[in-house]
Amino acid sequence: MGCNWRQALFAQARADYGLYLLLTNTDGVPVCYLLQMLQKSLEKLLKALSNDGLTPPETKHEAFDVFFRSAGGQFQTIGRSLGLRDSREWESYLKGLAPLIRLMENLAPRAKQQANSEYPWEEREFAADGGIRVALRVPAQEGWSEWAKDAHRVVQLQRFLEACFEAESA
């Protein structure tokens, strides 16, 4: 496939999002897998949106800050797809979306004591006797109810992803 980095990232983000949608319609899939695919799709999409096509993306899970710095010029395409009227609404929309995207980025595995959707992690609690209790948490056994497919935050992210894909296709 003859494409540049931006196009390649968009193509992979679309594929990841397609798998996410497929998994959301499959009974019994643990939410952690939905969360992984949504996070991967969002990360690649943000990297695509801020990529010049010539430069390979960084592999860190902090794409939003890079996107946010270059987002002003995206209003005509993405902002309009979202039904926003002007660049002020676009800026306000992005500021409102920022905490949610950061929450999603923070779910990328970084440390063995941090909740994430991909790897088990340690959770430490101080016991009444002064000791420390260590429990292993398993993503597939967590409820992740705040990230369920119909949760408001997930619907917001889906709307953003779909508007970006629509704008890129136009």
Side-chain angles (χ1 to χ4, degrees):
M1 175 176 169
C3 62
N4 63 41
W5 279 106
R6 180 180 171 95
Q7 293 165 333
L9 288 164
F10 264 112
Q12 189 60 45
R14 268 185 212 275
D16 291 349
Y17 189 64
L19 181 55
Y20 163 77
L21 292 175
L22 182 68
L23 292 174
T24 62
N25 293 312
T26 305
D27 292 335
V29 174
V31 175
C32 70
Y33 294 111
L34 303 178
L35 195 47
Q36 283 178 39
M37 294 317 302
L38 189 59
Q39 190 272 335
K40 288 173 187 292
S41 179
L42 179 65
E43 180 181 334
K44 288 175 188 110
L45 175 73
L46 292 172
K47 288 178 179 182
L49 289 169
S50 56
N51 190 281
D52 63 6
L54 302 173
T55 311
E58 291 191 37
T59 56
K60 8 184 219 183
H61 298 287
E62 296 164 358
F64 182 72
D65 289 329
V66 175
F67 164 72
F68 194 76
R69 287 193 299 275
S70 67
Q74 309 270 359
F75 166 69
Q76 290 299 329
T77 54
I78 302 167
R80 295 262 187 238
S81 291
L82 288 162
L84 303 175
R85 293 178 299 220
D86 58 38
S87 57
R88 274 195 302 266
E89 281 189 6
W90 171 240
E91 230 174 271
S92 176
Y93 174 81
L94 289 175
K95 284 181 182 170
L97 197 61
L100 182 53
I101 290 177
R102 285 203 176 88
L103 270 175
M104 178 67 72
E105 286 183 335
N106 286 337
L107 287 174
R110 287 189 175 91
K112 62 183 176 183
Q113 294 178 342
Q114 177 185 329
N116 71 85
S117 63
E118 200 169 342
Y119 294 96
W121 70 92
E122 291 179 354
E123 190 169 88
R124 295 169 185 245
E125 294 179 2
F126 291 102
D129 64 2
I132 297 176
R133 184 180 75 80
V134 178
L136 282 177
R137 305 292 296 264
V138 179
Q141 296 172 351
E142 297 294 315
W144 302 102
S145 60
E146 69 276 18
W147 292 102
K149 66 182 177 183
D150 56 351
H152 177 70
R153 62 175 49 169
V154 172
V155 172
Q156 277 183 286
L157 286 173
Q158 284 179 288
R159 185 171 176 239
F160 175 71
L161 282 157
E162 289 167 6
C164 291
F165 292 137
E166 179 184 321
E168 185 65 18
S169 296

